[in-house]
Amino acid sequence: MSSTDPLLDVSGLTKHFPIKGGFPIRRTVGAVQAVDGLDFTVSEGESLGLVGESGCGKSTTGRLVTRLLEPTAGRITYRGQDITHASRKQLAPVRSEIQMIFQDPYASLNPRQTVGKIVSAPMEVNGIEPPGGREARVRELLETVGLNPEHYNRFPHEFSGGQRQRIGVARALALEPKLIVADEPVSALDVSIQAQVVNLLQKLQKELGIAFLFIAHDLAIVRHFSQRVAVMYLGRIVEIADREDLYGNPRHPYTRALLSAVPEVTADDVPARERIRLTGDVPSPVNPPSGCRFRTRCWKATDKCASETPPLVQVAGSRDGHLTACHYPEEPAGTASAVPKARTAPAGPPLPGPQKE
């Protein structure tokens, strides 16, 4: 692996879950296209945010990257090594470098084990005996994440949600990973606790140089934590860019609608951001729309959107690294034509346009 290569390189990543039906013989009658052709990279020490609506495939992507799920197609390269279909033996040295923080701090900890046992488990599995012993290392990790080392012999039920998530963070740090996949690590916590856990992760990232794939649906938290942000819709990435560029200059209609839903406080003399309301439901991943998957809810959709899948490329007026998958991207912020304009609707029922407040 050269110094210019990314830590993690994902190309064409796909995961389809088969649907079984028929009697008496169970046969495959369809597939849930949870993830369908993702391309992204994560550099060493970088945090990439992955955002989108519930059910768009964010958590599935995280489990594919950590190889908790077997990809249907595509390629996952970690530090120059292809781990897409690596065997358990081949993955053994990689497992310790890619760790995961799970969404639910109540379900991800074994209630029958003490904190010491939970945090030391990864070291036991990998046969690691740190200097000073495992107990000393666990107590050090508990202190690192803001817990009392004396909590070593306590059980998970004796802790609050925020404290449990800190235990999960300590477990993820036990093997000194290079990459942590954080699957909505604060969504199950109170708002007052969310900031503490996010700040803890940010501090650990800076001090230890850990790369993060930060999965969340809270756009404000992602903006605070991640250097780059990828926006997913129905199993595909529709836009990916530097944090400030994406939030300040969204080019995909879905990204613009998503950002318009974020509450904001403005001064009396500053006009409020245009609010775009998407009508209709997200299509089923069992039978997604042809072409652009957002076209059934997009005010710009045309026949071209139904017949051609837009590639994820840099469009005119975008900065380097700002990629968008849209045939009719939004105009750069500040231009006279930046306000959405309805285009000819595709064949079939008329498509709803954005409703503005």
Side-chain angles (χ1 to χ4, degrees):
M1 176 181 173
S2 69
S3 58
T4 58
D5 291 336
L7 179 69
L8 178 73
D9 188 351
V10 173
S11 176
L13 186 61
T14 301
K15 179 61 178 179
H16 293 176
F17 294 96
I19 301 174
K20 301 293 184 178
F23 184 81
I25 300 175
R26 302 276 291 176
R27 64 181 185 278
T28 301
V29 296
V32 177
Q33 300 178 32
V35 173
D36 201 16
L38 300 190
D39 298 300
F40 63 87
T41 60
V42 180
S43 301
E44 289 196 27
E46 180 192 28
S47 175
L48 174 67
L50 193 60
V51 301
E53 296 176 74
S54 296
C56 70
K58 304 186 300 297
S59 294
T60 301
T61 300
R63 281 162 170 73
L64 289 170
V65 168
T66 53
R67 282 302 316 277
L68 296 178
L69 291 175
E70 184 76 12
T72 302
R75 188 180 74 253
I76 303 172
T77 304
Y78 175 74
R79 302 186 74 179
Q81 177 185 351
D82 189 344
I83 62 170
T84 314
H85 301 292
S87 65
R88 186 171 181 176
K89 184 177 181 180
Q90 292 170 326
L91 279 175
V94 177
R95 290 281 192 199
S96 62
E97 297 188 13
I98 305 178
Q99 293 294 302
M100 190 163 188
I101 300 173
F102 294 92
Q103 178 177 357
D104 189 350
Y106 294 90
S108 61
L109 303 180
N110 189 334
R112 297 185 178 183
Q113 292 184 346
T114 63
V115 170
K117 181 69 174 177
I118 290 171
V119 179
S120 65
M123 292 182 276
E124 294 179 13
V125 171
N126 288 272
I128 296 175
E129 190 63 47
R134 291 173 185 160
E135 181 175 343
R137 174 60 175 159
V138 170
R139 291 180 183 273
E140 178 186 340
L141 287 169
L142 292 177
E143 192 169 10
T144 300
V145 299
L147 293 175
N148 191 329
E150 301 304 318
H151 292 165
Y152 182 89
N153 290 315
R154 290 191 180 183
F155 289 88
H157 73 269
E158 300 179 64
F159 296 89
S160 66
Q163 290 175 318
R164 292 187 193 200
Q165 197 61 294
R166 288 172 185 264
I167 296 170
V169 174
R171 177 175 58 185
L173 294 174
L175 299 179
E176 300 180 357
K178 301 290 190 298
L179 172 68
I180 289 181
V181 176
D183 182 14
E184 304 206 30
V186 297
S187 63
L189 307 178
D190 292 338
V191 175
S192 59
I193 306 300
Q194 289 182 359
Q196 297 178 19
V197 175
V198 170
N199 289 336
L200 168 65
L201 295 177
Q202 199 166 43
K203 176 186 175 185
L204 294 173
Q205 182 198 14
K206 293 177 180 177
E207 292 180 352
L208 305 177
I210 301 172
F212 274 82
L213 177 60
F214 192 85
I215 300 169
H217 60 263
D218 190 318
L219 296 169
I221 289 178
V222 171
R223 184 173 190 172
H224 176 71
F225 186 83
S226 305
Q227 285 94 42
R228 286 193 304 134
V229 181
V231 180
M232 281 189 72
Y233 182 81
L234 204 60
R236 290 181 181 167
I237 291 178
V238 297
E239 188 165 9
I240 184 169
D242 173 79
R243 168 182 57 195
E244 299 304 328
D245 196 24
L246 185 134
Y247 280 77
N249 188 26
R251 302 301 303 274
H252 196 283
Y254 175 66
T255 307
R256 182 167 185 177
L258 201 63
L259 293 176
S260 79
V262 179
E264 62 177 350
V265 179
T266 58
D268 293 338
D269 57 342
V270 177
R273 180 165 47 192
E274 176 189 50
R275 176 73 167 94
I276 300 173
R277 292 195 176 196
L278 299 176
T279 57
D281 297 325
V282 179
S284 169
V286 177
N287 186 27
S290 61
C292 176
R293 295 192 171 183
F294 183 60
R295 66 178 177 82
T296 58
R297 304 173 73 195
C298 182
W299 60 91
K300 292 188 167 188
T302 68
D303 291 337
K304 182 179 182 180
C305 301
S307 59
E308 299 179 22
T309 301
L312 185 65
V313 296
Q314 183 173 329
V315 298
S318 295
R319 296 181 183 176
D320 289 341
H322 190 150
L323 308 180
T324 307
C326 183
H327 294 304
Y328 307 107
E330 296 287 291
E331 296 295 330
T335 60
S337 55
V339 178
K341 295 180 181 179
R343 295 178 180 267
T344 306
L351 296 177
Q355 300 176 4
K356 305 170 189 175
E357 293 182 346

